[in-house]
Amino acid sequence: MDMEKLNKWMVGIDGRNSSEAVLWNIIDLANHFKPESITFICVFQELDLPNEIWSKFPDLQTTQMQDFGHKLSGSVSGVLDDSIEYTIELNVGNPLTELSKKSQQPEFDLILIGNDKNHYKLRDRVIKKSSCSVLLVPDQKIDKLQNILMPIDHYDYSQRIASVARQFVDCYQVEKVKALHIYQDAFHYLNLILESPYEVEEILQKRKELDDQLQSYALYKTKEFAENHKFPGFEGEIIKMGKGVNIDMPLAKSTTNYKPDLIIIEAKGKAASSAYLLGNMTESSENGLVQSYLYIVKAKREPVGVLKSLLRLDYRAVTNLIYS
């Protein structure tokens, strides 16, 4: 699958909570990928000051914004590759509202925003509204991008994830790429098809058989994925998720053990914010998500949705497995 070129980037900045580490990471990314242009959009909440202050200093906020712009330009100039054009936009408004609106503009190929405790609402809104993929940038310097983690589902969007991973492999000296497939055990599917007490005993007898078949399927598809993409230092892992286990638990465990520099996930479906949140995972730094780059893959101008695909398996295929 051909990957869309990431030529035009938008960097969303909340003027109240900017981060030098986030900016450093963005410039490092740009120097590796070399997009055609980067638009830094900085939004400042209007100052809540008494009228007496405004009457004496009517240009107070304008001066502060201009100073911010000069400092930002100074940080970018001389460090960003000369081939990359950049512009800085300074706006007054609600950062949550204004940056989410800007992220919907069709000319951008990639949206980048900081991923830290000050931007939970902003990042969720941008992911939901953006017209293209979103890259969340950690608030700590990533000196070397070496390890990539990809939760995959073996459907079309896994190919998009693989295409994004390939771009990073081509731009960085990536040492390891891990594909993680989390699937639900037989009990989940048995619950979907039980209709009467008379079938319960018969179906439960086939639970182990179905579990074995689901595991074999997951292993085969993960091996097939590895053979098709041939990533450096590739590792495939499958995790069976039992009843009462949330998806954040196995994924958090995997990120803790593997310590990825970049996590690539897909966004698909109707319920937007769930695609990215995966429960409450991203609100905790303990699982490593906010300490890594987090790339949410979206086709341009595609509405984002819930990340059902991590757990998706064709219903009719499962039914056939049970009754075959």
PDB file of all heavy atoms in Angstrom, residues 95-107:
ATOM      1  N   PRO A  95      -7.605  27.834  22.660  1.00  0.00           N
ATOM      2  CA  PRO A  95      -6.731  26.880  21.962  1.00  0.00           C
ATOM      3  C   PRO A  95      -7.441  25.584  21.592  1.00  0.00           C
ATOM      4  O   PRO A  95      -7.205  25.029  20.506  1.00  0.00           O
ATOM      5  CB  PRO A  95      -5.612  26.632  22.985  1.00  0.00           C
ATOM      6  CG  PRO A  95      -5.578  27.875  23.818  1.00  0.00           C
ATOM      7  CD  PRO A  95      -7.017  28.301  23.925  1.00  0.00           C
ATOM      8  N   LEU A  96      -8.315  25.099  22.471  1.00  0.00           N
ATOM      9  CA  LEU A  96      -9.031  23.853  22.203  1.00  0.00           C
ATOM     10  C   LEU A  96      -9.877  23.978  20.938  1.00  0.00           C
ATOM     11  O   LEU A  96      -9.861  23.110  20.066  1.00  0.00           O
ATOM     12  CB  LEU A  96      -9.912  23.506  23.402  1.00  0.00           C
ATOM     13  CG  LEU A  96     -10.655  22.171  23.368  1.00  0.00           C
ATOM     14  CD1 LEU A  96      -9.680  21.016  23.421  1.00  0.00           C
ATOM     15  CD2 LEU A  96     -11.646  22.081  24.522  1.00  0.00           C
ATOM     16  N   THR A  97     -10.601  25.087  20.827  1.00  0.00           N
ATOM     17  CA  THR A  97     -11.500  25.291  19.687  1.00  0.00           C
ATOM     18  C   THR A  97     -10.735  25.638  18.420  1.00  0.00           C
ATOM     19  O   THR A  97     -10.963  25.047  17.353  1.00  0.00           O
ATOM     20  CB  THR A  97     -12.506  26.410  20.008  1.00  0.00           C
ATOM     21  OG1 THR A  97     -13.241  26.078  21.178  1.00  0.00           O
ATOM     22  CG2 THR A  97     -13.460  26.615  18.840  1.00  0.00           C
ATOM     23  N   GLU A  98      -9.816  26.582  18.532  1.00  0.00           N
ATOM     24  CA  GLU A  98      -9.126  27.089  17.348  1.00  0.00           C
ATOM     25  C   GLU A  98      -8.204  26.046  16.720  1.00  0.00           C
ATOM     26  O   GLU A  98      -8.164  25.905  15.498  1.00  0.00           O
ATOM     27  CB  GLU A  98      -8.335  28.350  17.701  1.00  0.00           C
ATOM     28  CG  GLU A  98      -9.195  29.521  18.150  1.00  0.00           C
ATOM     29  CD  GLU A  98     -10.240  29.913  17.117  1.00  0.00           C
ATOM     30  OE1 GLU A  98      -9.899  29.917  15.911  1.00  0.00           O
ATOM     31  OE2 GLU A  98     -11.383  30.192  17.502  1.00  0.00           O
ATOM     32  N   LEU A  99      -7.460  25.316  17.534  1.00  0.00           N
ATOM     33  CA  LEU A  99      -6.542  24.331  16.974  1.00  0.00           C
ATOM     34  C   LEU A  99      -7.280  23.140  16.377  1.00  0.00           C
ATOM     35  O   LEU A  99      -6.842  22.569  15.378  1.00  0.00           O
ATOM     36  CB  LEU A  99      -5.551  23.870  18.044  1.00  0.00           C
ATOM     37  CG  LEU A  99      -4.521  24.918  18.463  1.00  0.00           C
ATOM     38  CD1 LEU A  99      -3.657  24.406  19.608  1.00  0.00           C
ATOM     39  CD2 LEU A  99      -3.640  25.331  17.292  1.00  0.00           C
ATOM     40  N   SER A 100      -8.410  22.768  16.964  1.00  0.00           N
ATOM     41  CA  SER A 100      -9.196  21.674  16.374  1.00  0.00           C
ATOM     42  C   SER A 100      -9.776  22.099  15.030  1.00  0.00           C
ATOM     43  O   SER A 100      -9.846  21.293  14.097  1.00  0.00           O
ATOM     44  CB  SER A 100     -10.302  21.216  17.328  1.00  0.00           C
ATOM     45  OG  SER A 100     -11.237  22.242  17.569  1.00  0.00           O
ATOM     46  N   LYS A 101     -10.173  23.374  14.912  1.00  0.00           N
ATOM     47  CA  LYS A 101     -10.656  23.884  13.620  1.00  0.00           C
ATOM     48  C   LYS A 101      -9.538  23.869  12.578  1.00  0.00           C
ATOM     49  O   LYS A 101      -9.728  23.453  11.437  1.00  0.00           O
ATOM     50  CB  LYS A 101     -11.192  25.305  13.779  1.00  0.00           C
ATOM     51  CG  LYS A 101     -12.546  25.409  14.467  1.00  0.00           C
ATOM     52  CD  LYS A 101     -12.998  26.863  14.534  1.00  0.00           C
ATOM     53  CE  LYS A 101     -14.342  27.001  15.219  1.00  0.00           C
ATOM     54  NZ  LYS A 101     -14.765  28.423  15.321  1.00  0.00           N
ATOM     55  N   LYS A 102      -8.370  24.350  12.984  1.00  0.00           N
ATOM     56  CA  LYS A 102      -7.240  24.402  12.050  1.00  0.00           C
ATOM     57  C   LYS A 102      -6.853  23.003  11.580  1.00  0.00           C
ATOM     58  O   LYS A 102      -6.445  22.810  10.428  1.00  0.00           O
ATOM     59  CB  LYS A 102      -6.042  25.065  12.728  1.00  0.00           C
ATOM     60  CG  LYS A 102      -6.221  26.542  13.064  1.00  0.00           C
ATOM     61  CD  LYS A 102      -6.176  27.411  11.825  1.00  0.00           C
ATOM     62  CE  LYS A 102      -6.187  28.892  12.194  1.00  0.00           C
ATOM     63  NZ  LYS A 102      -6.124  29.769  10.989  1.00  0.00           N
ATOM     64  N   SER A 103      -6.997  22.018  12.453  1.00  0.00           N
ATOM     65  CA  SER A 103      -6.597  20.655  12.098  1.00  0.00           C
ATOM     66  C   SER A 103      -7.503  20.037  11.036  1.00  0.00           C
ATOM     67  O   SER A 103      -7.158  19.010  10.451  1.00  0.00           O
ATOM     68  CB  SER A 103      -6.586  19.767  13.345  1.00  0.00           C
ATOM     69  OG  SER A 103      -7.904  19.494  13.798  1.00  0.00           O
ATOM     70  N   GLN A 104      -8.647  20.655  10.796  1.00  0.00           N
ATOM     71  CA  GLN A 104      -9.583  20.149   9.794  1.00  0.00           C
ATOM     72  C   GLN A 104      -9.292  20.670   8.394  1.00  0.00           C
ATOM     73  O   GLN A 104      -9.930  20.243   7.431  1.00  0.00           O
ATOM     74  CB  GLN A 104     -11.010  20.520  10.192  1.00  0.00           C
ATOM     75  CG  GLN A 104     -11.450  19.912  11.514  1.00  0.00           C
ATOM     76  CD  GLN A 104     -12.829  20.391  11.939  1.00  0.00           C
ATOM     77  OE1 GLN A 104     -13.806  20.263  11.211  1.00  0.00           O
ATOM     78  NE2 GLN A 104     -12.921  20.961  13.134  1.00  0.00           N
ATOM     79  N   GLN A 105      -8.350  21.581   8.279  1.00  0.00           N
ATOM     80  CA  GLN A 105      -8.044  22.146   6.963  1.00  0.00           C
ATOM     81  C   GLN A 105      -7.413  21.076   6.074  1.00  0.00           C
ATOM     82  O   GLN A 105      -6.472  20.395   6.488  1.00  0.00           O
ATOM     83  CB  GLN A 105      -7.119  23.342   7.123  1.00  0.00           C
ATOM     84  CG  GLN A 105      -7.760  24.511   7.861  1.00  0.00           C
ATOM     85  CD  GLN A 105      -6.849  25.716   8.006  1.00  0.00           C
ATOM     86  OE1 GLN A 105      -5.732  25.723   7.511  1.00  0.00           O
ATOM     87  NE2 GLN A 105      -7.336  26.735   8.682  1.00  0.00           N
ATOM     88  N   PRO A 106      -7.909  20.920   4.858  1.00  0.00           N
ATOM     89  CA  PRO A 106      -7.503  19.786   4.018  1.00  0.00           C
ATOM     90  C   PRO A 106      -6.085  19.860   3.479  1.00  0.00           C
ATOM     91  O   PRO A 106      -5.561  18.855   2.987  1.00  0.00           O
ATOM     92  CB  PRO A 106      -8.530  19.833   2.869  1.00  0.00           C
ATOM     93  CG  PRO A 106      -8.965  21.264   2.815  1.00  0.00           C
ATOM     94  CD  PRO A 106      -8.961  21.741   4.229  1.00  0.00           C
ATOM     95  N   GLU A 107      -5.432  21.026   3.556  1.00  0.00           N
ATOM     96  CA  GLU A 107      -4.100  21.124   2.960  1.00  0.00           C
ATOM     97  C   GLU A 107      -3.014  20.426   3.775  1.00  0.00           C
ATOM     98  O   GLU A 107      -1.925  20.162   3.271  1.00  0.00           O
ATOM     99  CB  GLU A 107      -3.706  22.590   2.747  1.00  0.00           C
ATOM    100  CG  GLU A 107      -3.513  23.391   4.028  1.00  0.00           C
ATOM    101  CD  GLU A 107      -4.759  24.167   4.405  1.00  0.00           C
ATOM    102  OE1 GLU A 107      -5.861  23.720   4.038  1.00  0.00           O
ATOM    103  OE2 GLU A 107      -4.620  25.222   5.044  1.00  0.00           O
TER     104      GLU A 107
END
